[in-house]
Amino acid sequence: MKDIVLGYDGSDFSMQALDWALDEAELRKLPLTVAHAWQWPYGDADEDAKAHLRKAAEHVLWHGAECARSSSSGVRVDTDLFEGPAARRLVEISGGAELIVVGSRGLSALPRAVVGSVAGYVAAHADCPVIIVRGPGPLPAPTNPGPIVVAGKDPSAAVLEFAFREAALRQLPIMSPADLTEPAARHPGVRVRPYDSREHPTLVVVGRERGATNSLLRHAPCPIAVVGTS
């Protein structure tokens, strides 16, 4: 069974990603893996110094897993602790994942509206769809959530399939500047609405085309799902 993987570093951004990842796990009836990576940043070090850093990393991972367990309704929560770059590890385990969820920025990010290096790298290289949850703090549950929006006028079949599945799972309408007539016929339970750029979407789904994706990652006011072609 595949799982939902959460990239977690203890930051406000990863706490918001945790909320979204739990939603995905519950809706898809899949286990959640909370993944955390650490590395010694100062060159050579004795084992005692590295052991202290590893202990701190274990505590961060434990905290994320406990938050997930205490907030979920029956989701199995596993953990993955890795010594090395977080982006490399998330891409490494993406082949066995249904979906990876990460925050838009982590603990080391600059305080400006850019996507974090981990999130950007994983979105560009993962073997599964990646959802990047933008903004700090707990994920609000709006009383009137917006639609799922498919970006672009010629989305791939993989992008459309992912978007329609998200819309069905979340019982939300879907809209796009693209013609959705053909995929809508295969998903009769999903309501297709005329595209309106003034709408505030719940999720924007985009293909892995560099220019459009990078622009959305920097400016979109909501979470973004990046989906490869296969």
Side-chain angles (χ1 to χ4, degrees):
M1 177 187 289
K2 291 193 172 187
D3 58 352
I4 305 298
V5 173
L6 166 69
Y8 183 82
D9 66 3
S11 66
D12 285 347
F13 299 96
S14 68
M15 285 299 294
Q16 191 186 30
L18 186 151
D19 287 343
W20 191 284
L22 271 177
D23 253 10
E24 293 287 350
E26 289 173 356
L27 290 168
R28 295 166 182 259
K29 297 179 172 51
L30 292 175
L32 172 68
T33 296
V34 181
H36 178 63
W38 68 281
Q39 55 186 331
W40 181 258
Y42 306 117
D44 293 337
D46 61 49
E47 287 307 310
D48 283 346
K50 289 183 71 174
H52 283 297
L53 189 58
R54 179 185 174 86
K55 195 71 178 174
E58 289 171 350
H59 179 76
V60 169
L61 183 60
W62 171 85
H63 178 264
E66 284 304 298
C67 286
R69 292 183 182 113
S70 64
S71 304
S72 70
S73 54
V75 170
R76 192 185 87 208
V77 178
D78 301 318
T79 58
D80 183 272
L81 183 66
F82 178 72
E83 182 180 356
R88 188 179 84 197
R89 180 56 176 167
L90 290 172
V91 171
E92 222 172 63
I93 61 179
S94 66
E98 180 81 5
L99 177 67
I100 289 179
V101 183
V102 292
S104 60
R105 299 199 295 277
L107 288 171
S108 62
L110 296 173
R112 54 194 174 99
V114 296
V115 66
S117 59
V118 171
Y121 184 88
V122 175
H125 295 93
D127 292 325
C128 66
V130 177
I131 290 183
I132 298 166
V133 183
R134 290 177 55 85
L139 190 69
T143 54
N144 187 27
I148 304 296
V149 171
V150 181
K153 294 186 177 180
D154 189 25
S156 69
V159 167
L160 290 169
E161 187 60 34
F162 183 89
F164 270 89
R165 184 177 184 189
E166 280 291 313
L169 287 171
R170 296 179 179 275
Q171 298 184 328
L172 293 174
I174 193 168
M175 63 170 58
S176 175
D179 182 1
L180 300 181
T181 305
E182 188 174 330
R186 299 195 302 273
H187 300 271
V190 176
R191 183 161 58 98
V192 176
R193 281 172 37 189
Y195 180 68
D196 184 347
S197 61
R198 297 168 298 179
E199 287 268 10
H200 186 86
T202 290
L203 176 70
V204 174
V205 184
V206 63
R208 199 179 285 163
E209 295 86 18
R210 175 169 292 182
T213 303
N214 285 348
S215 177
L216 275 172
L217 293 180
R218 286 173 170 82
H219 303 296
C222 66
I224 306 116
V226 181
V227 182
T229 56
S230 59

